[in-house]
Amino acid sequence: MSMAEDTIASPELGKVLHEETSNEQGDQIHEEKDSECITDEWSTGEQVTSQQSEVNEENEKDKGSEMITISDRVQLSEHVTQQLTEGRQTTGDPEPEYSVFSRNEKRCIVMMATMAAAFSPISTNIFFPALNVLASDLRVSDSLINLTVTSYMILQGIAPTFIGSFSDAAGRRPAYLICFVIYLGANIGLALQTDYAALLVLRMVQSAGSSGTVALTSGVVSDVATRQERGQYMGYTSAATILGPAFGPVIGGLLANRLGWRAIFWFLTIFAGAVFIPFAVFFPETGRNVVGNGSIPPKGLNMSAMNYHHLRKQAREGFPPNYQEQHVLTSKRRIPFPNPVPSLRIAFEKEAGIILFSGGLIYTGFYMVTAAVPSQFQEIYGFNDLQIGLCYIPLGIGAALAAFTRGKTADWNYRRHANKLGVSLTNNRQHDIRKFPIETARLQIALPFLYITAIAVIAFGWVLEFETNLAGPLVLLFIIGYNVLAAANVMGVLVVDLYRESPATATAANNLIRCSLGAGGTALVVPMINAMGRGWTYTLIGLLWIALTPAYWVVMRYGPKWREERRLREEKKKTKKANAKREIQAETEEVSAGLTDEKVKEEK
């Protein structure tokens, strides 16, 4: 796409400006007429009265014309804003490029966002090998130390609901900067603290800073990638949620055994700082409510070196920054106070609720597998903390493999359904899904992985029950890691597809359900194993996953209908809000015109 196409020069906007100029000239003419009438009135009584009547009639017509112009102006402003955020133009190509970033730039942006998202799961699991040492050093019980894990997971679910809605309005960069600053401060405090109360509070602060990046990453992918290519990019980002449990304990075990538990938090501080500095300089603003498809210049904290590079490139090619569109978006944007209500509202929608709660139960089962590995492998094989951490590597390898393969499968199935329906898909163009079975295109890929994972979890429970050779559970951990991530990735993509205007908010809702249920599952798994045995505990989890699958068939059957009903409700709400705004604007102008008439009469 050329730079000329990036710059949205609407003839309708020019028409509005021309009408405003005409109205201003008309007002000057009428003021001159009024002055002439006032002068003539002293000499000719009845003639002045007649002329004044004519002037008043013309003024009434002008006021009506002015109010229509104002109404049209409001409509046009809303229309331009919608087209900017959707990646469409008011003139020229009706389907411009969805994003001005090149493919390589998109990959760089997504990988940087994925790196930032990895801090949340890594911080959760790197802590596990040091639990026993911390309990001894701080002189508290194991149950109190485990409470720091539970509280971390609770905040891990709640915090993104605040930062998600904020980033959808204010942009991704300010939200990322806030998260990094909170996270770095918490890690420094954790490395220096010496009592349990400080540990508990600072772990919650650490969770609040790191967990918001998970929701932001999904928002970034939605900003730069169309639906037909989103599966591949979401696959990369989903890897962060699995690689944390896989490699976090290995790193934590090495640091705790060699340097002590404080080294864990100093490592996180150094690692986060090394990521944060280049991130703050180069990571571009992608929020579509701020920069549209990336062609609109950002301001303040939203500006980065990559954004500046694009602006310089536009200027060299003869296309200066489009500050007119920047003003349109800025005037329409309202930055709300961080609010969890929008995420909760999404969680209780019919379609999204089924996907989020069932997906949350899948993650719960996965957490119940990973959380039980330390205690069960120590009991069965007599492993120490470092050896247990190494046992997570097959899980991580499976997750990494899924991240780079299954996203492409999701994109392939999307294209297959499009070809079946005769829908033409253009590269870097957003596709309208109002008459497209997006639920079927996504969930058809997720269901086979879910069935395979359920079988693998049941087998995992029984190989632990019979205390087989170590190769058995390690192979099954690889299969579980691969298939859980594949299923979860597709469901995450579907949630973002359904809420493209607020992807970070939707992902925050997903995170809230997942982490809340996961915290409960993590606390329950060991008591369940003690009461039911390893085999029956994981058999129950696997059967629960299989029992969830009819819910996905319901979504595939009724999802398009529910989605259309939601779209109509939202459009009705937007129309009502726009009409109310136009009425207020018209009344304001009418009152202003009335005051002007009264002032003229007083002067006469």
Side-chain angles (χ1 to χ4, degrees):
M1 187 179 73
S2 66
M3 289 299 179
E5 292 174 332
D6 286 344
T7 304
I8 303 174
S10 172
E12 297 171 328
L13 188 59
K15 181 179 177 181
V16 170
L17 296 174
H18 175 72
E19 291 177 357
E20 290 177 352
T21 305
S22 300
N23 288 336
E24 291 175 358
Q25 293 174 351
D27 292 340
Q28 293 177 355
I29 293 171
H30 296 314
E31 289 176 0
E32 293 174 359
K33 288 182 180 181
D34 291 343
S35 299
E36 293 174 358
C37 291
I38 293 170
T39 304
D40 293 340
E41 185 179 5
W42 299 103
S43 58
T44 58
E46 294 180 358
Q47 182 180 0
V48 170
T49 303
S50 175
Q51 290 178 351
Q52 185 65 45
S53 177
E54 292 176 1
V55 171
N56 289 339
E57 290 178 0
E58 291 179 1
N59 281 334
E60 290 297 328
K61 293 180 181 179
D62 288 339
K63 282 188 288 183
S65 174
E66 187 176 355
M67 284 188 286
I68 292 173
T69 302
I70 292 166
S71 176
D72 293 341
R73 192 188 316 159
V74 173
Q75 282 184 318
L76 180 58
S77 178
E78 293 170 353
H79 182 57
V80 170
T81 301
Q82 181 181 5
Q83 289 171 329
L84 290 173
T85 56
E86 291 180 357
R88 298 174 181 171
Q89 289 178 325
T90 54
T91 60
D93 187 358
E95 293 183 329
E97 286 187 333
Y98 184 75
S99 174
V100 299
F101 297 108
S102 66
R103 180 177 293 273
N104 288 334
E105 286 175 334
K106 289 181 182 179
R107 289 174 177 170
C108 180
I109 291 169
V110 171
M111 293 308 295
M112 290 178 71
T114 302
M115 183 69 72
F119 285 109
S120 180
I122 286 178
S123 299
T124 304
N125 296 274
I126 200 173
F127 188 61
F128 289 157
L131 292 179
N132 294 333
V133 179
L134 272 167
S136 176
D137 287 356
L138 300 180
R139 298 175 183 177
V140 295
S141 65
D142 291 340
S143 60
L144 286 177
I145 284 293
N146 288 335
L147 183 59
T148 63
V149 177
T150 303
S151 61
Y152 183 97
M153 294 189 70
I154 292 173
L155 264 293
Q156 196 176 33
I158 295 174
T161 63
F162 288 89
I163 203 69
S165 59
F166 172 79
S167 73
D168 285 333
R172 312 300 179 200
R173 273 182 58 84
Y176 269 119
L177 297 179
I178 291 171
C179 289
F180 268 111
V181 169
I182 294 173
Y183 182 71
L184 285 167
N187 280 319
I188 294 173
L190 284 166
L192 299 174
Q193 55 82 26
T194 56
D195 62 86
Y196 174 76
L199 174 68
L200 180 64
V201 172
L202 288 172
R203 277 286 287 175
M204 295 170 70
V205 175
Q206 182 193 44
S207 176
S210 64
S211 58
T213 58
V214 177
L216 295 176
T217 300
S218 297
V220 169
V221 172
S222 178
D223 293 336
V224 301
T226 60
R227 293 185 182 93
Q228 53 264 35
E229 61 180 350
R230 192 170 292 160
Q232 177 182 355
Y233 292 112
M234 286 293 288
Y236 300 152
T237 62
S238 297
T241 61
I242 307 297
L243 293 178
F247 295 106
V250 179
I251 299 171
L254 287 170
L255 293 172
N257 286 339
R258 303 293 182 182
L259 302 174
W261 61 266
R262 294 183 189 276
I264 293 175
F265 300 113
W266 285 123
F267 167 79
L268 292 175
T269 302
I270 296 170
F271 185 26
V275 173
F276 173 63
I277 293 173
F279 192 97
V281 175
F282 297 105
F283 188 79
E285 178 56 65
T286 62
R288 302 190 73 84
N289 286 326
V290 179
V291 295
N293 66 351
S295 61
I296 300 173
K299 297 192 300 183
L301 290 176
N302 298 101
M303 176 68 76
S304 73
M306 188 177 289
N307 292 122
Y308 182 73
H309 168 73
H310 275 281
L311 295 178
R312 290 288 300 272
K313 184 179 178 182
Q314 287 181 7
R316 286 196 302 268
E317 295 178 356
F319 299 100
N322 196 333
Y323 292 107
Q324 185 179 34
E325 294 170 9
Q326 180 194 71
H327 176 71
V328 172
L329 284 179
T330 303
S331 62
K332 303 296 293 183
R333 186 167 68 247
R334 298 291 181 270
I335 300 177
F337 186 79
N339 184 6
V341 174
S343 295
L344 294 173
R345 190 179 296 118
I346 289 175
F348 287 98
E349 289 279 354
K350 285 183 288 188
E351 184 177 19
I354 293 175
I355 297 170
L356 294 178
F357 279 97
S358 56
L361 289 173
I362 292 172
Y363 266 107
T364 300
F366 173 74
Y367 288 141
M368 293 175 77
V369 170
T370 58
V373 166
S375 61
Q376 302 309 307
F377 278 38
Q378 184 180 34
E379 181 179 339
I380 297 171
Y381 304 107
F383 287 170
N384 59 32
D385 290 337
L386 179 58
Q387 291 172 319
I388 291 172
L390 294 174
C391 291
Y392 283 94
I393 291 178
L395 188 73
I397 294 174
L401 185 61
F404 290 96
T405 59
R406 289 314 177 187
K408 294 181 179 180
T409 305
D411 292 340
W412 166 82
N413 200 47
Y414 187 100
R415 292 191 296 269
R416 184 177 72 86
H417 277 274
N419 294 333
K420 185 178 178 181
L421 296 173
V423 177
S424 177
L425 298 179
T426 306
N427 187 36
N428 204 17
R429 298 294 192 277
Q430 185 68 293
H431 171 225
D432 190 354
I433 61 170
R434 279 182 290 182
K435 296 182 179 180
F436 186 83
I438 186 68
E439 294 85 358
T440 302
R442 299 305 191 195
L443 293 178
Q444 278 182 341
I445 299 298
L447 284 172
F449 296 131
L450 184 56
Y451 289 126
I452 294 172
T453 308
I455 295 171
V457 167
I458 294 173
F460 178 77
W462 288 106
V463 298
L464 292 183
E465 180 72 25
F466 292 109
E467 301 183 1
T468 64
N469 185 277
L470 180 62
L474 293 184
V475 170
L476 289 170
L477 283 175
F478 170 83
I479 296 173
I480 292 170
Y482 182 86
N483 288 280
V484 163
L485 179 63
N489 171 36
V490 175
M491 293 178 191
V493 173
L494 178 57
V495 171
V496 173
D497 288 337
L498 296 176
Y499 293 90
R500 66 172 178 78
E501 292 184 355
S502 53
T505 304
T507 305
N510 188 10
N511 211 51
L512 173 64
I513 302 301
R514 185 186 71 198
C515 293
S516 299
L517 295 176
T522 302
L524 287 174
V525 62
V526 173
M528 286 178 63
I529 289 175
N530 293 336
M532 302 171 57
R534 304 183 188 106
W536 288 112
T537 295
Y538 290 107
T539 298
L540 178 62
I541 294 171
L543 293 178
L544 177 62
W545 284 356
I546 294 174
L548 289 173
T549 55
Y552 296 123
W553 293 102
V554 171
V555 170
M556 287 190 284
R557 174 68 178 83
Y558 296 103
K561 177 183 175 182
W562 294 339
R563 174 159 43 93
E564 182 63 16
E565 290 175 353
R566 178 170 57 84
R567 186 186 68 82
L568 293 175
R569 287 197 311 269
E570 291 177 352
E571 285 190 357
K572 184 178 179 180
K573 188 183 298 183
K574 289 180 180 179
T575 302
K576 185 177 179 181
K577 184 177 180 180
N579 290 337
K581 185 175 181 179
R582 285 194 294 270
E583 289 177 2
I584 294 172
Q585 188 72 32
E587 290 176 0
T588 302
E589 295 294 337
E590 187 175 1
V591 171
S592 178
L595 293 174
T596 302
D597 289 343
E598 291 179 1
K599 184 177 181 181
V600 170
K601 291 179 181 179
E602 290 176 359
E603 291 178 353
K604 293 178 182 178

